[in-house]
Amino acid sequence: MSASVAKPSRQRSPVWWPAIGLLILIAVNAVFDPGFLKMTIVDGHLYGTPIDLFNQGSRVMLLALGMTLVIATGGVDLSVGSVVAVSAAVCAQLIVRETALPLVVLAALGTGLAAGGINAVLVARIGVQPIVATLILMVAGRGLAQLITGGNVVIFSDASFEFLAKGHVLGLPVAALLVLALFGIAQLALRRTAAGLFLEAVGDNATASRFAGIAAARTKALAYLACGGCAGLCGALVAAHIAAADPYQAGINMELDAIFAVVIGGTALTGGRFYLLGSLIGALFLQALTLSMFYFGVPPAVAPVPKAVLIIAVALIQVPRLRQKLTALWQRSPANRKATS
């Protein structure tokens, strides 16, 4: 019997990889444009590309928060983009009718919760496959948004509502602060209580978790409700950002960006262990990538290709087996042997 016991190798958190990818993207931009990291204070408000990164990325960050919870349970929500359009349409119609701001925000949240409730019933109670259940609302939601707006783009002007997306508090953008506050609340609620463990247990094995006494269906339902609520609030931010509700373009493809952000952030699509911080960093990575392609003059029609390649690269580098093979190849390379000899 061996006297020594091998120590288990330390596993680096998956959150590191999107963080490293984000830092590399920022460094490349800073090399080609020295003003990329420059920030200025105008009228007490902080401006600059890093601030824009947070502000513009806040909407996908918000969607990614809710999507992380759903994916942790082993599901997926394809309807969030359409829910954003419906919520924006509801907000625009209420603003045009001079409704008080708190009621507009509550209506946006209620719209998202109602959509999340429909998905929750279909998935958690009736047992419809998540991709099918949310696909129904994805298609129907876009039509509902057009019905609410009469098929037109509803334009409005309301300074107090637009403050949500364009305003500043303590010199920082309100939208980014709102998302960071929600992230803090979610992190406390999920990591300081048993709720996070319930989500991971249901995602790992719903049947086993049910036998262990966890209300698996209720846990899934709450995840879809939270995801819908995030999409509803995101709709308010989208409408406030452009001072309009466009039922055709609002939230378009945002469900894919949210799923990408979650996957880049280290949460597996198969459910189980999840990383809220990783999802936020993944959303920032996507926003930095979009910004980089804009700065480098990549045509919008071609932009999805390099975007997909980089996303795949970041996703692949998170696979431990692939990293081990790449490390082994590097250690066997002639250049490395020469350097170590």
Side-chain angles (χ1 to χ4, degrees), residues 13-327:
S13 168
V15 176
W16 277 99
W17 303 110
I20 291 171
L22 178 61
L23 289 176
I24 290 173
L25 263 181
I26 291 174
V28 169
N29 279 286
V31 167
F32 285 95
D33 179 10
F36 186 83
L37 296 177
K38 185 180 177 183
M39 290 192 285
T40 55
I41 298 176
V42 180
D43 296 332
H45 302 155
L46 200 56
Y47 290 97
T49 307
I51 300 298
D52 286 343
L53 201 62
F54 271 96
N55 199 23
Q56 298 298 326
S58 59
R59 295 180 285 280
V60 175
M61 288 161 71
L62 184 53
L63 285 184
L65 273 183
M67 188 67 77
T68 305
L69 307 185
V70 169
I71 289 178
T73 65
V76 70
D77 189 345
L78 298 180
S79 69
V80 291
S82 295
V83 175
V84 166
V86 175
S87 173
V90 170
C91 289
Q93 291 292 11
L94 291 175
I95 290 292
V96 168
R97 289 166 175 73
E98 300 182 349
T99 308
L101 178 62
L103 291 179
V104 176
V105 176
L106 284 176
L109 179 62
T111 301
L113 290 174
I118 293 171
N119 288 331
V121 170
L122 289 174
V123 175
R125 294 297 174 190
I126 301 178
V128 180
Q129 286 292 319
I131 196 167
V132 176
T134 56
L135 191 61
I136 295 169
L137 194 54
M138 177 184 177
V139 176
R142 192 62 62 180
L144 183 59
Q146 292 172 29
L147 189 66
I148 293 170
T149 60
N152 301 311
V153 177
V154 179
I155 300 172
F156 56 83
S157 177
D158 187 297
S160 59
F161 182 66
E162 291 170 37
F163 181 80
L164 291 174
K166 302 174 184 173
H168 291 76
V169 171
L170 301 174
L172 297 171
V174 172
L177 291 175
L178 173 68
V179 173
L180 291 177
L182 288 174
F183 163 74
I185 293 170
Q187 189 74 5
L188 282 175
L190 295 171
R191 294 304 182 197
R192 298 292 180 183
T193 69
L197 291 176
F198 290 169
L199 277 174
E200 291 178 350
V202 170
D204 275 332
N205 191 323
T207 305
S209 64
R210 194 167 57 251
F211 281 118
I214 297 173
R218 190 182 305 162
T219 304
K220 284 185 181 180
L222 289 174
Y224 281 95
L225 275 173
C227 189
C230 288
L233 290 177
C234 183
L237 291 182
V238 168
H241 179 64
I242 60 173
D246 183 348
Y248 301 99
Q249 294 300 320
I252 199 83
N253 289 336
M254 287 187 81
E255 63 277 351
L256 299 180
D257 283 345
I259 293 170
F260 277 145
V262 175
V263 173
I264 290 171
T267 300
L269 283 173
T270 49
R273 188 78 175 160
F274 66 92
Y275 304 92
L276 284 178
L277 179 60
S279 299
L280 289 196
I281 295 174
L284 284 175
F285 177 83
L286 287 178
Q287 186 61 38
L289 197 54
T290 304
L291 204 60
S292 303
M293 285 187 286
F294 175 76
Y295 279 157
F296 287 114
V298 179
V302 183
V305 177
K307 188 175 177 181
V309 170
L310 277 175
I311 290 169
I312 290 171
V314 173
L316 284 177
I317 206 168
Q318 294 182 40
V319 180
R321 207 167 162 184
L322 181 63
R323 285 205 308 273
Q324 288 170 1
K325 287 186 177 178
L326 290 175
T327 305

